[in-house]
Amino acid sequence: MLCVVKKGIDAASLEAPMQKFIAKYYDKTNVGKEHHIFQPLTEIHYNEVYSNFAYKIMPKGQIIGLIVIGVFLLLTACINFINLATAQAISRSKEVGIRKVMGSLRKQLIWQFLSETTLITTIALLIACVLTELALPGMRNLFSGEINFSLFGHPVIFIFMIALILIVSFLAGFYPAMIISGFSPALAIKNKISAANVGALGLRKALVVIQFAITAVLIIGTLVVVNQMQFMRNQSLGFDTNAIALVDVPSDSLSQFKFGLLKDKISKIAGVKSVSYCSAAPSSGNNNTSSFKYNSTKDENFQLNVKAADEDYTKTFSLKLIAGRTLSKSDTIKEFVVNETLLKKLNITNPNDILGKYIRTQGHQAPVVGVVKDFNNFSLHDKIEPTAIFSVIWAYNTIAIKLDPREMLSAMKAIEKEWNNTLPEYVYKTDFMDNQISSFYETERVMGVLFKLFAGVVIFISFIGLFGLISFIATQRTKEIAIRKVLGASTIELIKMLNSSFLWMVLIANLIAWPVAYIFASKWLDGFAYRIPLSIWPFVLAMCISILITLITVSLRSYRAAHTNPIDALKYE
């Protein structure tokens, strides 16, 4: 039952009246406790606890996570621009010197360089708009929904884009503008500006450390997400999910009268192994809980997960019986089959001890005739609930059909034909158990794809940024490299010399990234009742990838620097 609170009423003020209502009208002797919840309609698309009727949510934490990753990407891009701009600053020293001699003020030069950065950012944003349009089909497929990039339909996008241009231009352009505009005109015109004059090298190294720390965090996050998704795909749910078709059935009395006929016809189709009516599959978003009594025991503080199903339910889903027997054929509640978790909740150690004991729920009292091995009622986000299965025809809304995979195609066509012959006034609508299970983890699937994409982009950006910094350092140490080469240093020795400092930077970046990544990964995995252990391997692999990127990038640029003719660097000395 759903109720909408009147406008202007605070839900918190209704808690006390609700408790009085429950105390007055609900049975206090029930083992399970009835309760009601308040959920703001504004939270219906984000609430992980209560979800919504479409069973499709995007938790706010994950939205914030994507925003943070986007900010990280912008930061790494800005860091790259700073490193590349300062590395190329020497080539513009004469221009700055001439402008200053001609009367340009430093403030004017700063505005000039900021304007250049803004122009570059604007062009990049226009290219990004084109790439966004090209990426929309893939995004629609990824999110299984309609996604539009309409500049005229959503004016707020213009505001966002303008703000983005201003922020990125300032972050990326301010520091290089300050450095370049500060060149001495006398030294600049005489071509005496050296790499030592182009800002603090320590700052640029710190920026690269931050960049690699961000890269390591995203790589670790990607590995954790991928491993958890792999774990969920391989984790046994306690029942068979393969080749089981789920067909929605009408719930009116006339259709229920034809249920037996439809089941008989479908059971005779070649390729059909078993057929069962039920209110929901073992793992389902459509779960109901109920208060209950067990053998007139004292009050407990939990409720019973109830599933309506016929006598072939355990066979169709391959539920493992560990005591007693399965349900007998019936249209009303005459007996129960329960799971192991209910026994644990009731402190029953021997499954046979519950057989013959009575449970009262849904207005009926009946004995327990069987115990099945635990199966996951929900997704792996949630723990297994105490469950009771019983037969009651009015609650059936699904027919589950176990198929032979080798004859699935022909069997599905025959099933649809029998449906149209038996229930011609109702639309035939089917889904597969595997698809439903996959839909439980749609958010994680999307997050996994996005993490892979973002990690790939960040690795590429890091490659460019590192190349910019090694170019700057190689320029700064040109004479040193030339002297070492004249004194007999080999190319390999020079490459090792330039690599060593960068490897230390990567190690420091990983030491910074590891605790941050551990906190984020742990909090994300805490959202799963069944999860992988957080081992050291994602962290080690992230470090190895970082080191590999560094070795390839630095070695390529170092090799070029080491192969230059030392005469070119020393002929003016």
Side-chain angles (χ1 to χ4, degrees):
M1 180 177 69
L2 298 175
C3 299
V4 179
V5 176
K6 289 182 179 179
K7 190 175 181 180
I9 301 296
D10 183 14
S13 65
L14 298 176
E15 285 291 347
M18 179 61 70
Q19 295 304 318
K20 290 181 181 178
F21 176 85
I22 292 173
K24 182 176 180 180
Y25 293 103
Y26 289 172
D27 188 353
K28 298 178 182 177
T29 62
N30 282 340
V31 175
K33 297 294 186 183
E34 296 96 338
H35 63 282
H36 296 280
I37 57 172
F38 294 101
Q39 180 184 15
L41 291 178
T42 54
E43 298 290 317
I44 199 167
H45 298 296
Y46 313 109
N47 196 300
E48 297 177 83
V49 179
Y50 306 127
S51 187
N52 53 40
F53 293 107
Y55 306 110
K56 292 182 179 179
I57 61 168
M58 186 66 174
K60 283 187 176 179
Q62 295 185 5
I63 295 175
I64 293 171
L66 292 178
I67 293 172
V68 170
I69 292 173
V71 171
F72 281 170
L73 287 173
L74 285 177
L75 283 176
T76 53
C78 291
I79 290 170
N80 272 4
F81 187 89
I82 291 170
N83 283 331
L84 292 171
T86 51
Q88 297 297 322
I90 297 174
S91 63
R92 302 193 65 177
S93 61
K94 282 188 179 180
E95 175 195 346
V96 173
I98 293 171
R99 286 183 181 275
K100 282 192 172 184
V101 169
M102 297 297 291
S104 293
L105 299 176
R106 186 177 186 185
K107 182 170 66 174
Q108 292 173 318
L109 292 172
I110 290 173
W111 278 112
Q112 175 198 335
F113 294 124
L114 280 175
S115 299
E116 291 175 3
T117 305
T118 303
L119 179 62
I120 293 170
T121 305
T122 303
I123 294 171
L125 189 64
L126 293 175
I127 296 172
C129 289
V130 175
L131 294 176
T132 299
E133 286 289 349
L134 295 175
L136 280 180
M139 295 295 287
R140 292 189 186 106
N141 182 58
L142 177 63
F143 288 97
S144 302
E146 188 61 28
I147 300 175
N148 294 309
F149 180 64
S150 175
L151 295 176
F152 300 102
H154 302 89
V156 70
I157 295 179
F158 277 113
I159 300 172
F160 172 76
M161 290 170 65
I162 292 170
L164 196 63
I165 288 173
L166 294 175
I167 293 170
V168 172
S169 298
F170 179 79
L171 289 175
F174 183 73
Y175 179 73
M178 290 294 292
I179 294 298
I180 298 172
S181 64
F183 289 161
S184 167
L187 294 176
I189 292 174
K190 292 178 181 178
N191 204 24
K192 294 294 184 179
I193 297 293
S194 66
N197 301 116
V198 190
L201 179 60
L203 175 62
R204 283 188 288 282
K205 285 187 176 181
L207 291 176
V208 171
V209 168
I210 293 171
Q211 189 180 64
F212 266 96
I214 293 171
T215 304
V217 169
L218 286 180
I219 292 173
I220 293 167
T222 301
L223 294 172
V224 171
V225 170
V226 169
N227 287 340
Q228 176 65 19
M229 291 300 294
Q230 185 68 30
F231 170 79
M232 289 190 296
R233 282 193 292 268
N234 297 332
Q235 176 74 358
S236 173
L237 299 175
F239 65 96
D240 188 12
T241 63
N242 185 44
I244 297 180
L246 303 174
V247 183
D248 294 341
V249 294
S251 56
D252 60 281
S253 57
L254 183 61
S255 299
Q256 290 172 2
F257 183 74
K258 299 178 181 179
F259 279 1
L261 176 63
L262 179 63
K263 183 177 180 179
D264 288 340
K265 287 183 176 181
I266 293 176
S267 298
K268 294 175 182 177
I269 294 173
V272 174
K273 293 183 175 182
S274 180
V275 182
S276 172
Y277 285 103
C278 58
S279 60
S283 286
S284 171
N286 183 24
N287 279 281
N288 294 313
T289 58
S290 174
S291 58
F292 74 105
K293 289 182 179 179
Y294 168 71
N295 248 24
S296 301
T297 57
K298 63 179 182 178
D299 288 358
E300 297 288 348
N301 60 353
F302 68 94
Q303 288 196 313
L304 190 64
N305 187 294
V306 292
K307 292 185 181 293
D310 67 11
E311 67 278 6
D312 293 315
Y313 190 75
T314 54
K315 177 184 176 183
T316 302
F317 289 100
S318 301
L319 298 179
K320 187 176 179 181
L321 199 68
I322 59 175
R325 59 175 176 81
T326 59
L327 296 171
S328 58
K329 189 172 182 179
S330 176
D331 290 340
T332 58
I333 300 176
K334 289 187 176 179
E335 51 198 24
F336 293 101
V337 170
V338 299
N339 69 346
E340 293 174 294
T341 298
L342 178 61
L343 273 62
K344 295 171 187 175
K345 287 277 190 178
L346 296 174
N347 296 317
I348 300 173
T349 54
N350 188 346
N352 291 298
D353 290 346
I354 199 173
L355 300 180
K357 302 295 193 305
Y358 280 79
I359 288 178
R360 181 173 182 81
T361 188
Q362 305 284 297
H364 292 78
Q365 180 169 292
V368 175
V369 297
V371 179
V372 292
K373 194 172 181 62
D374 274 341
F375 56 86
N376 287 87
N377 314 80
F378 309 93
S379 69
L380 294 177
H381 286 281
D382 306 290
K383 293 182 179 179
I384 295 172
E385 296 286 336
T387 303
I389 305 169
F390 53 82
S391 297
V392 55
I393 193 170
W394 59 262
Y396 299 156
N397 53 38
T398 302
I399 183 169
I401 307 166
K402 176 64 178 174
L403 301 167
D404 186 337
R406 294 169 297 182
E407 301 179 72
M408 187 182 296
L409 217 58
S410 59
M412 290 302 294
K413 291 179 180 178
I415 291 168
E416 184 174 4
K417 182 179 178 181
E418 293 297 347
W419 173 279
N420 292 330
N421 291 335
T422 310
L423 300 170
E425 62 274 27
Y426 294 100
V427 177
Y428 176 78
K429 183 182 176 184
T430 186
D431 194 8
F432 281 89
M433 190 71 233
D434 286 338
N435 293 340
Q436 284 200 7
I437 297 297
S438 297
S439 69
F440 295 160
Y441 313 109
E442 185 64 16
T443 301
E444 286 75 23
R445 184 187 69 84
V446 171
M447 289 291 289
V449 173
L450 292 178
F451 260 92
K452 289 177 187 177
L453 178 63
F454 289 149
V457 171
V458 168
I459 289 172
F460 177 71
I461 292 174
S462 300
F463 182 92
I464 296 173
L466 192 61
F467 191 85
L469 184 59
I470 184 59
S471 297
F472 176 83
I473 291 177
T475 303
Q476 186 186 39
R477 301 177 71 174
T478 299
K479 289 184 174 63
E480 178 191 346
I481 292 171
I483 292 170
R484 286 179 179 272
K485 197 165 185 182
V486 169
L487 293 175
S490 66
T491 300
I492 297 297
E493 287 173 335
L494 292 173
I495 291 174
K496 283 182 180 179
M497 177 189 73
L498 292 172
N499 263 312
S500 60
S501 61
F502 283 95
L503 290 176
W504 276 110
M505 290 164 58
V506 170
L507 292 174
I508 292 170
N510 276 272
L511 290 177
I512 295 171
W514 281 17
V516 176
Y518 180 84
I519 292 169
F520 280 114
S522 296
K523 289 183 73 66
W524 184 76
L525 288 172
D526 285 343
F528 298 88
Y530 303 91
R531 45 166 282 184
I532 59 170
L534 194 53
S535 68
I536 196 173
W537 292 112
F539 300 86
V540 173
L541 187 56
M543 179 180 284
C544 292
I545 292 173
S546 302
I547 291 173
L548 184 63
I549 294 171
T550 303
L551 287 174
I552 292 172
T553 308
V554 177
S555 297
L556 287 174
R557 185 61 183 87
S558 300
Y559 181 80
R560 195 173 76 179
H563 256 266
T564 56
N565 192 338
I567 295 174
D568 295 333
L570 300 175
K571 62 184 177 180
Y572 296 113
E573 296 298 322

